């Protein structure tokens, strides 16, 4: 026990600080926009098209109490048939390209596609048109919003989702 306490004292606080107030404001804006544009919850289907899973860790963080995505009326669904938007990560591996196309086709119109992370934007560290990857999500399906970052922060992801909803509102 004593050694554990000494270790805690030595290491200190290692968790990330609370999000800046702009994250809380973003969350409120999202909540208002979802209610205004959809009049119900916004359903997102996440597609890992070859990610290293770094992006997924940040997406996962959106569900913690700080970012509180569900509190904004946004939830993830298991089937593209129930989704309003696709959130796609990764440099689209050749093995996942057809699955991504089919997922896109299975999502009802009008649909939104958010390419999340540098890999989804341009192939990132994996590059484009290699033996294993096609690269940008836009090379496979139409993309509405791109969120840069490797990985993108939860705040950047919230901004990307908000941008996609605003695009739908102005369509
Ligand atoms: S953008 Fe970075 S974190 Fe996301 S899949 Fe690519 S390498 Fe991984």
């Amino acid at each position: 026990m004593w050694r554990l306490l000494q270790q805690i004292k030595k290491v200190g606080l290692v968790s990330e600080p609370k999000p800046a107030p702009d994250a809380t404001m973003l969350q409120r804006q999202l909540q208002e926009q979802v209610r205004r544009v959809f009049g119900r919850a916004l359903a997102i289907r996440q597609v890992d098209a070859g990610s290293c899973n770094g992006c997924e860790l940040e997406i996962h963080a959106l569900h913690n109490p700080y970012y509180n995505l569900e509190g904004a009326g946004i939830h993830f669904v298991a089937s593209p048939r129930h989704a309003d938007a696709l959130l796609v990560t990764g440099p689209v591996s050749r093995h996942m390209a057809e699955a991504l196309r089919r997922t896109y086709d299975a999502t009802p119109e009008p649909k939104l596609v958010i390419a999340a992370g540098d890999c989804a934007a341009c192939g990132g560290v994996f590059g484009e048109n290699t033996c294993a990857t096609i690269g940008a999500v836009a090379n496979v399906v139409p993309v509405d919003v791109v969120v840069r970052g490797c990985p993108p922060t939860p705040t950047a992801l919230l901004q990307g989702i908000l941008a996609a909803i605003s695009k739908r509102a102005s369509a």
Side-chain angles (χ1 to χ4, degrees):
M1 180 68 179
W2 179 241
R3 278 180 55 198
L4 181 62
L5 288 172
Q6 280 183 314
Q7 180 75 7
I8 291 170
K9 189 174 172 213
K10 196 170 104 192
V11 173
L13 187 64
V14 292
S15 59
E16 63 182 285
K18 270 176 76 168
D22 58 334
T24 313
M25 210 145 72
L26 253 177
Q27 207 263 0
R28 255 188 237 125
Q29 283 176 340
L30 266 172
Q31 192 173 24
E32 282 166 20
Q33 279 286 73
V34 167
R35 198 179 300 136
R36 195 172 68 80
V37 177
F38 294 91
R40 56 168 172 76
L42 167 68
I44 297 179
R45 166 72 176 145
Q46 203 257 320
V47 183
D48 174 351
S51 154
C52 75
N53 282 347
C55 285
E56 275 65 28
L57 287 174
E58 301 304 315
I59 292 169
H60 199 253
L62 292 176
H63 293 93
N64 71 30
Y66 287 155
Y67 296 103
N68 189 20
L69 195 71
E70 295 232 346
I74 300 172
H75 66 121
F76 284 70
V77 290
S79 167
R81 295 198 190 282
H82 303 151
D84 303 295
L86 298 178
L87 181 64
V88 189
T89 61
V92 191
S93 70
R94 293 196 180 276
H95 289 305
M96 276 300 293
E98 185 55 30
L100 177 57
R101 266 185 223 108
R102 288 188 193 190
T103 303
Y104 179 83
D105 290 343
T107 309
E109 296 280 359
K111 50 195 156 194
L112 294 164
V113 178
I114 303 161
D118 285 352
C119 290
C122 64
V125 290
F126 298 101
E128 280 198 300
N129 284 323
T130 69
C131 61
T133 63
I134 293 176
V137 171
N139 292 341
V140 182
V141 295
V143 167
D144 296 289
V145 172
V146 172
V147 182
R148 297 300 298 242
C150 180
T153 61
T155 302
L157 290 165
L158 290 180
Q159 284 165 335
I161 295 169
L162 185 60
I165 297 171
S166 303
K167 189 169 176 182
R168 161 75 79 84
S170 59

